[in-house]
Amino acid sequence: MNQGVIPKCRLIAKNKPDLVKKLLQFFGVASPEDWQNYYAGMEVAFRRTRSSN
């Protein structure tokens, strides 16, 4: 919302279905189950350097 990707709205029960729809569109999936199948299993990998530049 802060970045303008999805419209700003109050987080109340009345607005949640539309918010979920907008979020699913943003992530390019059709349903919460599709989101779960695609994104929930992702892992992050990174390295830290000991350099203190």
Side-chain angles (χ1 to χ4, degrees), residues 13-36:
K14 177 181 140 189
N15 295 337
K16 286 183 181 180
D18 190 48
L19 181 59
V20 169
K21 182 179 174 183
K22 297 288 185 192
L23 286 167
L24 292 174
Q25 288 174 343
F26 175 78
F27 285 104
V29 294
S31 69
E33 293 79 20
D34 287 345
W35 185 92
Q36 184 77 23

Side-chain angles (χ1 to χ4, degrees), residues 1-12 15-16 18-20 22-23:
M1 285 184 200
N2 290 338
Q3 299 299 318
V5 176
I6 56 174
K8 288 188 178 188
C9 66
R10 291 183 55 204
L11 297 177
I12 58 174
N15 295 337
K16 286 183 181 180
D18 190 48
L19 181 59
V20 169
K22 297 288 185 192
L23 286 167

